[in-house]
Amino acid sequence: MSTFNCACTERSNSLADTLQIDHAALVDAQAQALYEAQYRKVFEAMTKEEQRELQHHEALARKQSADLKEMRSTAEAYENSKRQVKEAAQEYPALLRSGSSSGSSISQKKRQQQAEDREAEREAERRQQSQMEAERKEREREEKDAKERRSSIDAFLKKNGFTAVNAPKKSLLSGTVYALHKAAKAGDARMAQALLLEGADKAKKDSAGKTALEVAQKNNRKDSHKDVIKALTTTERAAAAGGA
């Protein structure tokens, strides 16, 4: 960059009249203008045929330049691809080892999880079988108890002249009485409970207008009938709770 001072008049300001000139740009512009002028001069001197031939050669030159540029770009891309493939080939063994280690770890965890799942399933099956066995035994016990209870009730009913649990027995001496009243009067708590389990109606009253509980309370001497009273009242409270 050069500086030229213009001092055309006495009043010239050296700072204001300073011109900043880019020599390289000036030379390029001048050379371009000179080339274009010479090209026009030569082109105009040519015949139409020569002009067409020149234009054809120029077009070929431009195409060759573009092709060359594209070939260079393709070559660079090819070299980049080759370098990437080479780098990937170098990294592949390490990646393979890492992947193998990771895969082995995942496989081991998967096997462990599968083993835990199988053990959980077996444990669930054992618990289910244990519960089913307990339920089976409970049913067998209940069936056995029910069978024994019915057998003892049948014997009690037959012995005391009753035809059914809630069937009354009538006589001239004792009037109307039920099996539950008979058990309550005798202080037989076990039979009272059995009759109640078989559906005996504790609300029924004998010919004296008393329930089985009232009969037990009347005959209670020094807690002689406390178990029968307890059985009748317990059943009564349980029924009330169930109804609530």
Side-chain angles (χ1 to χ4, degrees):
M1 189 78 70
S2 299
T3 302
F4 295 91
N5 293 327
C6 297
C8 299
T9 64
E10 294 180 356
R11 295 181 180 179
S12 296
N13 187 326
S14 59
L15 181 59
D17 294 335
T18 298
L19 300 177
Q20 303 293 331
I21 299 175
D22 188 341
H23 276 283
L26 182 60
V27 170
D28 289 343
Q30 289 174 348
Q32 182 67 24
L34 180 61
Y35 171 76
E36 291 178 357
Q38 289 177 347
Y39 180 83
R40 283 194 300 272
K41 184 177 179 181
V42 172
F43 188 77
E44 290 171 357
M46 291 179 176
T47 63
K48 296 293 184 182
E49 185 67 27
E50 289 173 337
Q51 289 177 358
R52 283 195 295 273
E53 187 176 354
L54 177 61
Q55 289 174 342
H56 176 67
H57 284 300
E58 288 177 343
L60 287 176
R62 286 194 296 272
K63 186 175 183 306
Q64 289 174 354
S65 177
D67 290 345
L68 181 61
K69 185 177 181 182
E70 184 177 356
M71 288 174 63
R72 287 175 179 170
S73 177
T74 303
E76 290 176 358
Y78 174 71
E79 290 297 329
N80 288 335
S81 298
K82 258 193 355 179
R83 186 175 63 257
Q84 291 174 359
V85 169
K86 184 178 180 180
E87 291 174 353
Q90 292 173 347
E91 294 175 358
Y92 179 73
L95 290 173
L96 185 63
R97 289 192 297 272
S98 175
S100 176
S101 175
S102 176
S104 176
S105 176
I106 292 173
S107 178
Q108 183 177 0
K109 289 181 179 179
K110 186 177 181 180
R111 288 194 298 271
Q112 182 178 356
Q113 184 62 44
Q114 289 174 344
E116 291 176 356
D117 292 342
R118 286 194 296 271
E119 180 59 30
E121 290 176 359
R122 286 193 291 268
E123 180 61 25
E125 289 177 359
R126 285 194 292 268
R127 286 198 298 270
Q128 185 177 9
Q129 290 174 355
S130 177
Q131 183 178 357
M132 291 173 63
E133 180 65 16
E135 291 174 353
R136 184 186 64 79
K137 289 181 178 180
E138 180 64 18
R139 285 194 301 271
E140 289 179 352
R141 186 188 64 78
E142 290 176 353
E143 290 173 358
K144 182 180 178 181
D145 290 346
K147 185 177 181 180
E148 291 177 352
R149 183 173 62 249
R150 284 192 295 270
S151 178
S152 63
I153 288 174
D154 289 343
F156 177 82
L157 294 176
K158 185 177 181 180
K159 178 182 178 180
N160 292 281
F162 295 99
T163 58
V165 171
N166 285 310
K169 184 181 76 170
K170 298 180 180 180
S171 66
L172 294 175
L173 295 177
S174 59
T176 301
V177 66
Y178 294 89
L180 188 60
H181 288 73
K182 185 70 175 179
K185 185 175 181 179
D188 191 344
R190 182 172 176 275
M191 181 52 61
Q193 288 177 334
L195 289 167
L196 290 170
L197 289 173
E198 287 298 313
D201 185 0
K202 58 181 174 42
K204 287 185 177 298
K205 297 181 180 180
D206 59 11
S207 56
K210 297 184 180 297
T211 64
L213 175 61
E214 291 172 337
V215 170
Q217 291 171 337
K218 180 181 178 181
N219 290 274
N220 186 33
R221 299 288 184 274
K222 298 181 180 180
D223 291 335
S224 60
H225 288 60
K226 67 176 182 179
D227 291 338
V228 177
I229 294 171
K230 182 179 179 182
L232 292 169
T233 53
T234 300
T235 307
E236 194 171 61
R237 288 170 187 168

